[in-house]
Amino acid sequence: MAGSDDATIQDLGHESRKFPPSAEFVATTLVADSSLHDEGRRDYEGFWARHAGELLSWSKPWHTICEWKLPFVKWFIGGELNVSYNCLDRHVLAGHGHKVAFYWEGEPGDTRVVTYQELLDETQKFANALRSLGVQKGDRINIYLPMIPEAAVAMLACARIGAAHSVVFGGFSAQALADRINDASAKVLITADGGWRRGEIFPLKPQADAAVEYTPTIEHVVVVRRGGNEVAMQAGRDHWYHELLAQAAPTCPAEPMDAEQLLFLLYTSGTTGKPKGIMHTTGGYLTHVATTFKYAFDHQPDRDVFWCTADVGWVTGHSYIVYGPLANGATQVMYEGVPNYPANDRVWSLIDKYKVTIFYTAPTAIRTYMKWGAQEPAKHDLSSLRLLGSVGEPINPEAWIWYQETIGHGRCPIIDTWWQTETGGMMISPLPGVTITKPGSATHPLPGIAAEVVDEAGNTITRGGGYLTLTQPWPGMLRGIWGDPERYRETYWSRFPGRYFAGDGAKLDEDGYLWLLGRVDDVMNVSGHRISTTEVESALVSHPSVAEAAVVGANDATTGQAIIAYVTLRGGLSVDEKVLRDHVAKEIGAIAKPKTIYFTPDLPKTRSGKIMRRLLRDVAEGRNLGDTTTLADASVVTELQRRATDSPSED
Ligand code: WT7
């Protein structure tokens, strides 16, 4: 159904397929009825408090569940707990020391199996090592590592002694690392010689050295040996991780922390300005990620092997590789490298090898696998899978269906999980044993979470497109921006008074399902119609020849903005521009027809896989490109610019 002309954002897409959970899935799921949702609606504070008590161990109970002084929140006030105790010690004490925490696989194919006992032993030693370097409760520690078990150890060791970590993705530059270290005044940097990526070693220590030139607060650098590449060690400042461990005392009791003790900072760039150090604390955050991990993934510790393909440098890695899964005693796969080394079937071979039951990845990865073709997963037995998840961007219905059929073989519920670095954990997602899913919809807020869509003026709407807002505090909510409370208030709480504004567009359909429409900065205005890039992209991707599409609005003398599309075709296929334009018109309406379509072998993406629409707008409007260093592959834009100057046709 098309939206009305004065709609905040037009509602153009229509998707009527529905997928109830299978009887087979429901038979063994943790929750198959509305009880959790009902409980959360009745009393959200009570809901979270019940899970805080049931899923975590506290050394001291809280006296107040939640104190909400908009926009500042505190959860479980007076309570004390230790995150590393909750992720490690109590599982070992309960007799699960031999349980595998990580099946780790390096990109070259080397492997390690790390049990909970081993993870605890190493975390205690490393916590002692950090103390020997002068680290104290309240300090900030930077982590710049490849995807190796030591990344989890480093985070847990910080949590054990009350130091806050700030993980910087290993693909970021020395400059980005230095900026983040300086913003947090970190005392110690934990890095590695290098890691494996695409069949080669990418050196990290030289980047770390270059950063530390400009970071007066760093006193020590700890170096994990992974790549085996030659590195320079500065005497007194630099220490090998394995040498520190060899000298460290084996036990380090987990110190009780206040529920509101800072657990970590994680920097997010947003669209403009300097990166924001998003603050997450201890008790509320762990409650949120432990609860959502358990129920959204239907996690059952005796049967599941979980694999989240994110890097620990992103919030997904913090919440659903380290804290959520380990708090639940989960067994996981951790993989160091790229999905196409040595060949395009690496991901599927790992699922088969480790008998992964729950798989969590991003739409950009799913579309890439689609492009590589169904013959790749077909080479492997994927029958261990029982649930599939998606995160990071809106998932196009076409990609959703491919995931459901080609990877899940129609057996696995799909959970499309909407959340942000700022929210700490999942907010909007199906509950897999309960929710009837629709391809491309994140469906409903999770139990204990409340969301509303509002129009330009902030009025709640119940149907059609608008802005996604969150209307009550949740335990994993960011506690602020490090060093900048004003920016915190301004960024999230000023646009709609009393509501958290996430910056995303969303619509509600006739059944009350939520559909995410992308960042509102990306919404296009064509002849006065506000059109979401997501809906046009999904219409393009629904054509059988199209693998990926990115859509932007470029200045246009007649229509204000014109829709420009960049399209990547599936392997070996070709299609006429006009055919695609007509396809969009047929799918969602003539108003959304792209003016111009460029075909391109690749799209410019950030290192976390989000399409950089700002750059595509620059290309479309013929501007010089600014900073392209955050791109995963900078050569992509040169090619796009070349194509943009071969003036395309229009009918
Ligand atoms: C932004 C947050 C959440 C961890 C990874 C990204 C987009 C995220 C979805 C989804 C539609 C999504 C939003 C959000 N996003 N998940 N399931 N459907 N959009 O964390 O880097 O903080 O980015 O990612 O635009 O605001 P992040």
Side-chain angles (χ1 to χ4, degrees):
M1 187 193 115
S4 66
D5 272 2
D6 58 357
T8 299
I9 303 176
Q10 300 281 307
D11 173 5
L12 299 173
H14 51 83
E15 171 57 68
S16 49
R17 290 169 283 190
K18 290 184 185 173
F19 295 82
S22 69
E24 183 198 349
F25 187 88
V26 170
T28 61
T29 188
L30 295 176
V31 191
D33 59 26
S34 66
S35 54
L36 282 186
H37 282 111
D38 295 343
E39 181 188 359
R41 256 190 300 270
R42 259 196 322 270
D43 171 14
Y44 72 89
E45 289 192 7
F47 170 86
W48 289 111
R50 178 169 80 81
H51 288 93
E54 285 178 13
L55 298 181
L56 304 181
S57 298
W58 297 75
S59 38
K60 192 175 153 204
W62 60 86
H63 55 73
T64 305
I65 300 173
C66 177
E67 182 192 274
W68 180 215
K69 291 186 182 155
L70 199 141
F72 295 100
V73 78
K74 290 180 181 164
W75 282 83
F76 307 118
I77 302 169
E80 289 183 359
L81 74 168
N82 184 286
V83 167
S84 104
Y85 179 89
N86 273 280
C87 291
L88 303 171
D89 305 55
R90 65 186 176 124
H91 304 314
V92 173
L93 290 169
H96 304 307
H98 294 297
K99 185 168 183 186
V100 174
F102 290 111
Y103 289 110
W104 177 81
E105 181 140 330
E107 194 189 68
D110 50 335
T111 59
R112 283 163 66 184
V113 178
V114 184
T115 64
Y116 273 90
Q117 180 72 60
E118 289 164 340
L119 203 57
L120 172 60
D121 291 347
E122 193 153 325
T123 298
Q124 297 201 70
K125 283 191 200 161
F126 192 52
N128 283 329
L130 288 176
R131 279 206 173 127
S132 73
L133 298 177
V135 176
Q136 291 170 3
K137 186 169 166 178
D139 288 342
R140 273 84 52 212
I141 305 297
N142 261 87
I143 297 177
Y144 185 58
L145 285 172
M147 279 300 285
I148 52 179
E150 287 82 354
V153 171
M155 293 162 76
L156 292 162
C158 288
R160 200 163 185 90
I161 60 175
H165 54 70
S166 165
V167 184
V168 176
F169 174 53
F172 276 154
S173 65
Q175 184 63 52
L177 176 61
D179 291 346
R180 286 159 179 76
I181 290 173
N182 286 332
D183 190 73
S185 311
K187 210 168 177 177
V188 170
L189 171 61
I190 303 164
T191 186
D193 49 0
W196 286 91
R197 194 177 162 78
R198 246 176 266 287
E200 286 169 21
I201 289 172
F202 67 94
L204 279 170
K205 179 65 165 54
Q207 304 283 339
D209 287 338
V212 172
E213 296 264 318
Y214 302 97
T215 58
T217 55
I218 292 289
E219 294 168 12
H220 294 282
V221 178
V222 179
V223 188
V224 178
R225 185 175 275 156
R226 164 59 189 153
N229 46 315
E230 198 69 45
V231 296
M233 298 289 280
Q234 186 177 309
R237 186 195 73 182
D238 298 351
H239 314 266
W240 284 107
Y241 175 86
H242 58 272
E243 289 177 3
L244 290 177
L245 281 199
Q247 293 153 14
T251 52
C252 173
E255 230 186 87
M257 299 295 156
D258 187 273
E260 284 296 334
Q261 169 82 17
L262 186 67
L263 178 64
F264 66 85
L265 298 177
L266 186 58
Y267 284 81
T268 162
S269 344
T271 42
T272 51
K274 85 173 183 51
K276 306 185 280 269
I278 302 300
M279 296 164 67
H280 284 291
T281 59
T282 296
Y285 170 81
L286 197 64
T287 300
H288 189 150
V289 299
T291 308
T292 51
F293 178 78
K294 177 169 177 171
Y295 291 106
F297 289 118
D298 191 45
H299 175 256
Q300 300 170 35
D302 298 333
R303 71 191 286 208
D304 285 318
V305 176
F306 177 73
W307 183 18
C308 165
T309 64
D311 189 281
V312 284
W314 312 120
V315 72
T316 312
H318 285 57
S319 301
Y320 300 108
I321 295 177
V322 180
Y323 295 118
L326 295 179
N328 279 280
T331 293
Q332 298 183 76
V333 170
M334 184 192 265
Y335 171 59
E336 177 185 36
V338 296
N340 55 347
Y341 184 87
N344 288 354
D345 65 341
R346 184 65 181 273
V347 168
W348 318 121
S349 81
L350 290 172
I351 290 178
D352 189 356
K353 177 174 177 184
Y354 294 106
K355 302 295 166 214
V356 171
T357 60
I358 305 171
F359 182 62
Y360 192 34
T361 195
T364 176
I366 297 167
R367 292 189 300 262
T368 303
Y369 305 144
M370 285 171 77
K371 200 162 60 182
W372 291 343
Q375 78 284 353
E376 300 300 334
K379 292 173 186 162
H380 301 278
D381 176 7
L382 304 183
S383 62
S384 56
L385 289 171
R386 69 179 195 92
L387 190 141
L388 301 171
S390 168
V391 61
E393 284 174 276
I395 178 167
N396 324 102
E398 218 51 35
W400 194 103
I401 292 285
W402 188 87
Y403 201 26
Q404 209 264 353
E405 288 175 352
T406 309
I407 306 307
H409 296 284
R411 285 178 293 105
C412 308
I414 296 192
I415 57 162
D416 170 14
T417 63
W418 178 90
W419 56 294
Q420 306 179 297
T421 303
E422 292 88 340
T423 68
M426 295 172 189
M427 302 295 283
I428 300 175
S429 162
L431 267 195
V434 179
T435 312
I436 297 172
T437 54
K438 298 189 186 189
S441 168
T443 72
H444 306 292
L446 282 164
I449 303 294
E452 281 179 359
V453 179
V454 298
D455 66 14
E456 206 72 53
N459 304 308
T460 306
I461 58 180
T462 52
R463 176 80 178 88
Y467 303 111
L468 180 68
T469 64
L470 302 167
T471 57
Q472 70 196 22
W474 62 99
M477 187 173 129
L478 75 164
R479 299 302 195 259
I481 295 174
W482 180 254
D484 202 344
E486 209 26 63
R487 190 174 178 201
Y488 167 66
R489 193 187 295 274
E490 169 63 30
T491 308
Y492 305 107
W493 301 95
S494 65
R495 179 75 168 77
F496 301 109
R499 297 167 183 267
Y500 173 88
F501 177 45
D504 284 311
K507 71 175 189 188
L508 280 163
D509 73 11
E510 64 279 9
D511 300 325
Y513 279 59
L514 278 162
W515 299 73
L516 275 301
L517 297 177
R519 306 292 300 167
V520 293
D521 313 329
D522 295 332
V523 168
M524 305 171 288
N525 194 326
V526 183
S527 310
H529 300 273
R530 293 175 53 77
I531 298 175
S532 120
T533 52
T534 299
E535 293 202 316
V536 182
E537 286 163 5
S538 289
L540 285 163
V541 175
S542 75
H543 189 277
S545 309
V546 175
E548 273 209 282
V551 162
V552 296
N555 287 331
D556 185 275
T558 5
T559 55
Q561 280 190 319
I563 302 179
I564 311 294
Y566 297 84
V567 164
T568 303
L569 297 175
R570 291 209 204 185
L573 298 178
S574 71
V575 64
D576 206 59
E577 187 185 341
K578 180 170 182 320
V579 171
L580 282 188
R581 299 179 64 238
D582 291 345
H583 178 73
V584 172
K586 179 172 106 320
E587 288 293 307
I588 58 175
I591 179 72
K593 222 157 118 166
K595 179 178 176 196
T596 306
I597 297 177
Y598 296 106
F599 293 98
T600 164
D602 266 305
L603 294 169
K605 288 181 195 157
T606 64
R607 290 162 190 270
S608 63
K610 288 192 171 48
I611 293 167
M612 285 192 74
R613 291 194 183 70
R614 171 183 63 79
L615 248 157
L616 289 174
R617 273 194 298 270
D618 288 347
V619 174
E621 295 177 352
R623 263 191 306 280
N624 276 335
L625 300 182
D627 183 14
T628 56
T629 56
T630 50
L631 277 178
D633 176 5
S635 69
V636 172
V637 281
T638 330
E639 178 61 19
L640 282 173
Q641 282 175 307
R642 196 186 60 72
R643 285 168 199 244
T645 44
D646 307 344
S647 64
S649 61
E650 197 199 323
D651 65 359

